[in-house]
Amino acid sequence: MKAHDGMYIDGAWRAAAGPDTIAVLNPADEQVIAQVPAGSAEDVDAAVRAARAALPAWAATPPSERAARLAALRDVLTARKDEIAETVTAELGAPLGFSQKVHAASPIAVCGSYADLAASFPFEEKVGNSTVYQEPIGVVAAITPWNYPLHQIVAKVAPALAAGCTVVLKPAEDTPLTAQLFAEAVDEAGVPAGVFNLVTGLGPVTGQALAEHDGVDMVSFTGSTAVGRSIAATAGAGLKKVSLELGGKSANVILPSADLGKAVAVGVANVMANSGQTCSAWTRMLVDADRYEEAVELAAQAAAKYGDRIGPLVNAKQQARVRGYIEKGVAEGARLVAGGPEAPAGKKGFHVSPTVFADVTPGMTIAQEEIFGPVLTVLKYQDEDDAVRIANGTVYGLAGAVWAGDEAEAVAFARRLETGQVDINGGRFNPLAPFGGYKHSGVGRELGSHGLAEFLQTKSLQF
Ligand code: NAP
Ligand code: MG
């Protein structure tokens, strides 16, 4: 894989301040495919200075011109979509088909949505005798995870640029090549120097230096709840705005009137996609007592079919972590009906078998903690109130699904869930729908106009 040995700062690739590097692995064969620089506080400082210097001109650039740059960026990403898919497959391990359909396509759609929104968003409105302006919040630190490497970058950078903010990105250490490719695309799209900057490196070094830098006005973070909490504390001390997309433990609630076969099939596919490394995955399936055993059997059969179709996990640490959770599930008395803690035989790479647990009770570790692997838990509920209690009974609240024979019944149930998104009877992904968490799943929203508003602050003029 082609890698830059520098940082993208102020419109050019520059040598890093220090000699440290990060080895990038292909999780499918455990081979080193590239080296990228591991940034220091000095690199972060240079990037933040560039972003600050570029801020006044970019903030004053008419929204229509910012929209034109984002449209150009969408077009470059579209032209390079095969290269994006190959890069994500190489450093994340996702099967190429999934990389094309999701990892490359979804960020193109999101970037396009912000090209449109930048042009149409009401940055100015009249309220009584006032004019209220929506102005950019300033320099944004974007810190992103590896699980949807380009999507997570675009979901922050595109709305920030649409808002008139400038950005310093610190991508995940496991997936820096996708981030470098994105920086090339931003450059090709004619975004002015300093408006977008990339510093690769380690979370506790580069990420931390960025989150606490005085020149940063807002931190937009996606990743684990533990790191999110520490970033929120750092941002709080610096009185910076913070937006957090954190973990999840979403419920897939199958009501007695639902089409069970469809709900189980879609539910299993949802959990196995991206090898279970999806923060919004419906990792808890809730089924009524009458149809519980039937659901368990269908889920076990569906999961077994995924055996050869999912990729590895991103790294050895995640593989060990997920296998540890599977062992814990067995130890706590859950019934293993598919998969298990052993890695699939004869396979190189950081694989985990698609796994399904039955007889899971709401208090078990595997029903409470985010596993981030291809592991589904199936829980039994007695009645609707019980289902609501179980569904809401974790610290998380990111996403979920409700299935019922009647849409109104599903909607009524969904309104009782403490969660940011709910798919009704298998509803489709909408890049304009606000995405984000209730409770410990986060603060703020991404995507669509709500995602754009996160990067704005208001000024009112009275007449
Ligand atoms: P993570 O540590 O929270 O990483 C997210 C981002 O934050 C990465 O860029 C990371 O850099 C950076 N970071 C880490 N420590 C930091 C610090 N002290 N200050 C500033 N930035 C910091 O997540 P992870 O290690 O990749 O995965 C661990 C668990 O997080 C997963 O098992 C999963 O449960 C959860 N997770 C959730 C999501 C989600 O979308 N909600 C995504 C990924 C992971 P490095 O890459 O160098 O660590
Ligand atoms: Mg980490």
Side-chain angles (χ1 to χ4, degrees), residues 99-273:
S99 290
Q100 288 163 334
K101 237 175 48 199
V102 177
H103 289 298
S106 140
I108 291 169
V110 171
C111 190
S113 77
Y114 280 113
D116 297 343
L117 273 166
S120 63
F121 192 83
F123 287 101
E124 185 184 326
E125 68 172 330
K126 292 255 182 274
V127 180
N129 61 313
S130 302
T131 301
V132 179
Y133 295 93
Q134 305 273 354
E135 299 189 340
I137 203 141
V139 173
V140 173
I143 301 178
T144 56
W146 43 263
N147 60 332
Y148 288 86
L150 188 58
H151 172 80
Q152 314 279 21
I153 289 171
V154 171
K156 298 185 187 312
V157 176
L161 298 193
C165 293
T166 58
V167 178
V168 178
L169 168 67
K170 202 303 275 181
E173 67 188 76
D174 289 296
T175 54
L177 302 179
T178 305
Q180 289 191 341
L181 206 162
F182 177 76
E184 287 180 7
V186 169
D187 193 85
E188 237 180 291
V191 173
V195 169
F196 169 80
N197 308 274
L198 168 68
V199 180
T200 50
L202 302 178
V205 181
T206 321
Q208 178 76 26
L210 182 56
E212 63 191 23
H213 198 292
D214 279 344
V216 165
D217 301 296
M218 171 176 173
V219 185
S220 176
F221 169 82
T222 300
S224 64
T225 296
V227 174
R229 202 186 291 280
S230 113
I231 282 181
T234 303
L239 298 177
K240 304 180 203 305
K241 172 151 186 188
V242 66
S243 106
L244 306 167
E245 295 293 337
L246 307 176
K249 192 72 190 173
S250 298
N252 178 17
V253 183
I254 305 176
L255 293 174
S257 61
D259 176 341
L260 185 69
K262 186 172 175 204
V264 172
V266 175
V268 171
N270 172 284
V271 172
M272 299 308 160

